[in-house]
Amino acid sequence: MPKDSGIGASPKRREDLRFLTGQGRYTDDINVHGQAYVHFVRSEMAHAVIKSVDTTAAEAMPGIVRVFTGADFEAVGSIPCGWQITDRHGEPMQEPRHAVLAQDKVRHVGDPYAAVVADTYAQALDAAEAIEADFDELPAVVDMKEAAKEGSTKVHDDLTSNLCYDWGFVEENRDAVDAALKASEHVTTLELVNNRLIANPMEPRVAVGEYTGHDEQYTLHTTSQNPHLIRLLMGAFVLGIPEHKLRVVAPDVGGGFGTKIFHYAEEAFCTFAAKACGRPVKWTSSRSEAFMSDAHGRDHVTTIELGMDKDNNFTALRTNTFANMGAYLSTFSSSVPTWLHGTLMAGNYKTPLIYVNVKAMFTNTVPVDAYRGAGRPEATFQLERVIDKAASERDVDPIALRRQNFITEFPYATPVAVEYDTGDYPATMDKLEELGDLAGFDARRAESAKRGKLRGLGVNCYIEACGIAPSNLVGQLGARAGLYDAATVRVNATGSISVMVGAHSHGQGHETAFPQVVADMIGIDESQIDIVHGDTSKIPFGMGTYGSRSLAVCGSAMVRATEKIINKAKKIAAHLLEASADDIELKDGQFSVTGTDKSVAWGDVTLAAYVPHNYPLEDIEPGLEETAFYDPANFTYPAGAYACEVEVDPDTGKVTIERFTAADDFGNIINPMIVSGQVHGGLAQGIGQALLENCAYDADGQLLSGSYMDYAMPRADDVPFYDVDHSCQTPCTHNPLGVKGCGEAGAIGSPPSVVNAVCDALRSAGHDVTHIDMPLTPSKVWSAMNNG
């Protein structure tokens, strides 16, 4: 029978009640007495020198509080990048200044160069129209390979070129990989594009800045995935505000997908302007603004080479990638194509030699940073596409080729400097073949053929690294922040519990899953436990939610803090029961003396902690509250195998996904329902990338996909009912919960599965198609069939 509570149960998400009944409290719901509104004036050019900005007419208009330009921020710090990359020659990356408002040039469409603060938003918008700006338009560079050419237009005049860094990993393997590829029996080569995406969370970004002069206290309400990091970056590096004078609050947040991890100029502006204007300042992004100001994702162009011996064993792998940084370095942008991508190029396979080269380029486009999966989808897509192409070239079964090269012994040290602690890749493939009924595919293909459709099967294996750690290691790799997390467990006198966590919940279900863990450890009802998050004045310093880290890192901190609570409570119970603390057991909310019928309830012990009449204060101090920080010893490594079946209309090229099966190994599972939901969401986003979504610029740097009219999001009828399974569990060996993370898996494993399936469908009909770049729109697929 399924459990109805605790670890492994699937209670309904408690937070959903307020969301479904309209009682969620989002940043845009926050209105402060006397607040003003800001409208940002954004560049319509991709690249131009700012010759002048005349705000005279705007300042004279009704309701205008103040008009700001870049000159107002000359003494303010640059928006910082959180990760320093050292290139393959030992040199630090080029790191340009990123001003809150553009000061010398605008460098992408949407780059803000002025801001109007007014009594109402309508007044701010009207005044913005009265600003007269004079620009000297410059040629734009959008294509990464063009940006790399000598003599290309420079995005930043003070840099030596548009190259941010030329990264090689592992550099010592470079010559050995070259030799191994030359000696291989067969080398499969593939050039592919990982298309640029726009995250499009349901809630756009919002910021509300406040300042109180009597205590010099700043407050920023913002749509953030990690409020403590925003406080650190904005306070210390941009505005110079002492941390004890800056409170950052991220209330309910309507989705993030990575794009709300980062510190944005609008947050710094609202905080700065609140003091400068003497009143709170609020900004709510329009959807059009979001398209040209939220950090974009992906945008890699890669050539990958896979070597094999005569028996089809992998011998070596080499990738050369151009990665788009956009016009500026966003918070974690530099780490995505490097440490979050290159270290995963081994995948599930025992390839002995690997070399990864990444050239990160500045272009006149919106900055690019982490988007669901962040580097892991890019690595998996390259690897799984080239393996499928290799199987076709060698005329071998793609599943058999993968099985032959699986890693089967753990722990396993990869040639790209990470060590997988556990896994069972044959088991997930077995589960995939069973759950997806792959043995019945030929019959389904024949049935599709009767209806004039081409049916294809695509299989993919993935591995990802979650809970990025430990801090001392990532610090050596260039991280400018620790990657631990923290939790405070506060037990009230009557036994109820408040858990303050550094992680942030914006769709992950923390308010449901986290209490399951604490309740299971103590043996009380989950309804007695509340989760507090998102307010730096209430929670311990933590690093937020991204990279599928919440349960593995913050959850582990919560376990450690709860263990401290239990240990202290046992000492109190021992005094109440006149026994040794070593003889006290806690089960089902009862403390008992081993081997006796003597017991005392959880609530009686917690009351005694605050009314200490029955134990000596010299031995145990009153109260029951503990904090723990947890810094993981290693990444966690979720893995899985996915299968996609598609039908292709040969007359139109339209692709329909008929079946999708996902077999994942997430380690131990806290709430199976939430895990399934996370996988479902990730699959939809991955399918969206594979078939529909594409952020496009023209040669002049104009954003062609600046609204939902031109940027196709997946809808309900674009995705099938999924078959998902996470029963193949190899628990993580180095965190107390044995969990691995599940939030990004679906978005990592689905794109190559879809592309593999479409290519298989076309090859089955006699079309010599080895690859089609995402998104696989009907026109692209039709062209591949008719012009390939």
Side-chain angles (χ1 to χ4, degrees):
M1 292 288 293
K3 293 183 65 176
D4 57 7
S5 64
I7 292 175
S10 291
K12 293 180 179 179
R13 296 193 346 158
R14 63 168 71 173
E15 49 268 72
D16 286 351
L17 181 60
R18 72 174 185 274
F19 295 145
L20 293 172
T21 56
Q23 298 178 68
R25 189 167 188 259
Y26 298 90
T27 306
D28 194 52
D29 294 321
I30 296 170
N31 293 292
V32 185
H33 177 70
Q35 75 185 18
Y37 299 82
V38 61
H39 173 75
F40 290 97
V41 186
R42 300 182 184 274
S43 174
E44 297 177 358
M45 303 175 189
H47 196 198
V49 173
I50 303 173
K51 297 177 69 175
S52 65
V53 180
D54 186 350
T55 63
T56 306
E59 290 168 343
M61 293 182 70
I64 300 307
V65 178
R66 183 169 171 180
V67 180
F68 294 82
T69 67
D72 295 296
F73 290 86
E74 288 179 352
V76 170
S78 171
I79 306 294
C81 178
W83 204 300
Q84 168 74 59
I85 296 299
T86 300
D87 74 10
R88 66 188 188 88
H89 305 292
E91 297 297 321
M93 68 185 185
Q94 296 202 92
E95 191 169 359
R97 175 174 168 79
H98 184 185
V100 174
L101 293 178
Q103 293 166 352
D104 54 346
K105 292 201 302 184
V106 288
R107 294 179 172 87
H108 67 86
V109 171
D111 203 0
Y113 62 88
V116 182
V117 179
D119 291 336
T120 69
Y121 181 73
Q123 290 170 328
L125 189 61
D126 287 343
E129 297 290 336
I131 292 176
E132 295 184 5
D134 187 16
F135 296 95
D136 185 3
E137 189 168 9
L138 301 172
V141 58
V142 175
D143 182 87
M144 289 178 281
K145 293 184 179 180
E146 287 296 319
K149 291 179 179 178
E150 187 174 349
S152 176
T153 299
K154 286 203 296 184
V155 178
H156 296 274
D157 297 333
D158 55 329
L159 302 186
T160 60
S161 69
N162 291 320
L163 180 67
C164 179
Y165 54 75
D166 180 1
W167 185 77
F169 191 71
V170 175
E171 191 63 27
E172 292 76 11
N173 288 351
R174 188 183 184 98
D175 292 340
V177 169
D178 183 60
L181 288 172
K182 288 178 180 177
S184 295
E185 176 77 13
H186 182 83
V187 176
T188 294
T189 302
L190 181 62
E191 182 169 341
L192 42 77
V193 174
N194 207 295
N195 43 322
R196 181 184 278 237
L197 303 174
I198 300 173
N200 282 304
M202 186 179 295
E203 174 202 32
R205 290 189 295 118
V206 184
V208 183
E210 300 177 64
Y211 176 76
T212 51
H214 70 278
D215 57 0
E216 299 181 318
Q217 184 73 35
Y218 296 83
T219 299
L220 171 68
H221 289 86
T222 184
T223 46
S224 176
Q225 297 177 219
N226 48 359
H228 267 297
L229 185 64
I230 303 306
R231 186 179 75 159
L232 174 65
L233 295 179
M234 185 180 76
F237 297 101
V238 183
L239 300 181
I241 302 171
E243 284 186 89
H244 70 293
K245 292 295 184 181
L246 175 59
R247 175 190 178 203
V248 176
V249 183
D252 288 329
V253 172
F257 312 123
T259 198
K260 292 177 182 172
I261 298 171
F262 324 121
H263 175 42
Y264 287 95
E266 293 89 352
E267 294 168 322
F269 177 88
C270 289
T271 307
F272 178 91
K275 180 179 180 181
C277 296
R279 58 195 288 191
V281 175
K282 181 175 184 176
W283 170 71
T284 299
S285 173
S286 68
R287 185 60 66 181
S288 295
E289 278 186 291
F291 271 89
M292 58 184 174
S293 65
D294 290 2
H296 294 173
R298 312 288 194 252
D299 204 354
H300 288 189
V301 177
T302 298
T303 299
I304 182 169
E305 300 164 275
L306 175 64
M308 291 174 285
D309 66 17
K310 62 182 178 60
D311 297 317
N312 296 324
N313 298 305
F314 299 163
T315 58
L317 182 77
R318 178 169 59 203
T319 70
N320 288 284
T321 292
F322 284 91
N324 204 332
M325 296 288 99
Y328 305 101
L329 289 176
S330 181
T331 305
F332 289 127
S333 58
S334 55
S335 66
V336 173
T338 51
W339 300 113
L340 301 184
H341 157 249
T343 54
L344 272 295
M345 283 310 306
N348 309 62
Y349 310 104
K350 51 190 178 187
T351 312
L353 289 165
I354 298 174
Y355 179 73
V356 178
N357 177 250
V358 177
K359 293 178 175 65
M361 306 306 303
F362 291 112
T363 63
N364 293 117
T365 62
V366 172
V368 179
D369 209 319
Y371 171 71
R372 197 171 191 169
R376 284 71 58 89
E378 294 91 322
T380 299
F381 186 71
Q382 297 165 29
L383 187 57
E384 291 299 310
R385 283 296 298 123
V386 80
I387 290 174
D388 240 49
K389 185 170 185 257
S392 177
E393 291 175 351
R394 300 291 278 174
D395 195 25
V396 297
D397 179 74
I399 294 178
L401 182 62
R402 288 173 169 85
R403 284 185 178 275
Q404 174 181 339
N405 287 279
F406 275 159
I407 298 163
T408 56
E409 296 181 359
F410 296 88
Y412 179 82
T414 75
V416 278
V418 294
E419 183 174 282
Y420 305 160
D421 59 334
T422 59
D424 191 342
Y425 310 145
T428 52
M429 183 61 82
D430 289 344
K431 178 57 70 173
L432 178 73
E433 293 199 51
E434 172 197 338
L435 189 64
D437 183 28
L438 300 196
F441 171 72
D442 287 341
R444 293 190 292 275
R445 170 175 275 174
E447 192 276 331
S448 296
K450 291 178 182 178
R451 294 184 286 104
K453 298 297 196 300
L454 310 179
R455 196 177 190 102
L457 170 66
V459 172
N460 158 78
C461 296
Y462 79 90
I463 188 167
E464 62 166 322
C466 303
I468 303 168
S471 294
N472 63 345
L473 172 61
V474 296
Q476 294 171 33
L477 301 180
R480 290 167 168 165
L483 292 174
Y484 53 83
D485 222 295
T488 296
V489 177
R490 177 181 298 157
V491 182
N492 300 310
T494 55
S496 63
I497 299 173
S498 295
V499 183
M500 284 68 77
V501 295
H504 186 277
S505 185
H506 42 275
Q508 292 81 6
H510 294 174
E511 294 175 40
T512 302
F514 281 9
Q516 289 181 249
V517 173
V518 177
D520 199 83
M521 293 177 69
I522 296 172
I524 60 175
D525 193 271
E526 294 151 19
S527 63
Q528 291 188 259
I529 303 165
D530 280 333
I531 302 299
V532 179
H533 68 95
D535 186 339
T536 60
S537 70
K538 297 178 180 179
I539 62 175
F541 192 107
M543 298 309 295
T545 294
Y546 48 86
S548 303
R549 70 189 301 272
S550 297
L551 199 55
V553 186
C554 189
S556 294
M558 185 174 63
V559 168
R560 295 298 184 225
T562 305
E563 289 172 344
K564 293 181 181 180
I565 290 289
I566 291 171
N567 288 337
K568 182 176 180 180
K570 283 183 176 181
K571 293 178 182 178
I572 298 172
H575 283 283
L576 298 178
L577 296 170
E578 299 179 334
S580 168
D582 293 337
D583 295 330
I584 300 296
E585 294 180 339
L586 173 61
K587 185 178 180 181
D588 297 330
Q590 290 286 126
F591 293 92
S592 60
V593 181
T594 304
T596 75
D597 59 357
K598 296 172 63 177
S599 66
V600 61
W602 166 257
D604 294 330
V605 172
T606 61
L607 182 62
Y610 291 92
V611 186
H613 295 166
N614 297 304
Y615 59 87
L617 295 178
E618 62 270 20
D619 293 340
I620 309 171
E621 63 183 23
L624 203 52
E625 179 174 327
E626 298 288 350
T627 296
F629 286 78
Y630 181 80
D631 198 344
N634 190 6
F635 300 165
T636 65
Y637 298 100
Y642 289 2
C644 175
E645 292 186 27
V646 301
E647 280 190 345
V648 178
D649 187 330
D651 296 327
T652 65
K654 178 176 172 56
V655 176
T656 304
I657 297 180
E658 296 295 319
R659 296 166 67 101
F660 204 107
T661 308
D664 295 290
D665 175 6
F666 296 134
N668 292 334
I669 303 295
I670 304 302
N671 185 308
M673 178 192 68
I674 289 177
V675 169
S676 294
Q678 288 288 309
V679 174
H680 287 186
L683 293 175
Q685 285 186 284
I687 290 168
Q689 176 177 11
L691 296 182
L692 297 162
E693 299 184 48
N694 189 50
C695 175
Y697 286 88
D698 70 11
D700 295 322
Q702 291 296 319
L703 181 62
L704 300 178
S705 51
S707 76
Y708 290 136
M709 293 294 290
D710 303 295
Y711 188 93
M713 296 284 285
R715 302 184 181 187
D717 61 353
D718 292 312
V719 298
F721 286 96
Y722 311 113
D723 290 312
V724 302
D725 177 87
H726 30 77
S727 63
C728 298
Q729 298 174 13
T730 59
C732 175
T733 59
H734 54 77
N735 69 56
L737 288 168
V739 296
K740 293 185 176 183
C742 68
E744 297 161 298
I748 294 170
S750 49
S753 303
V754 174
V755 178
N756 288 348
V758 174
C759 290
D760 178 65
L762 270 54
R763 287 195 302 269
S764 74
H767 300 290
D768 185 19
V769 175
T770 58
H771 181 68
I772 308 172
D773 279 324
M774 300 184 291
L776 275 63
T777 58
S779 61
K780 281 187 182 180
V781 176
W782 188 92
S783 294
M785 288 188 288
N786 291 277
N787 303 322

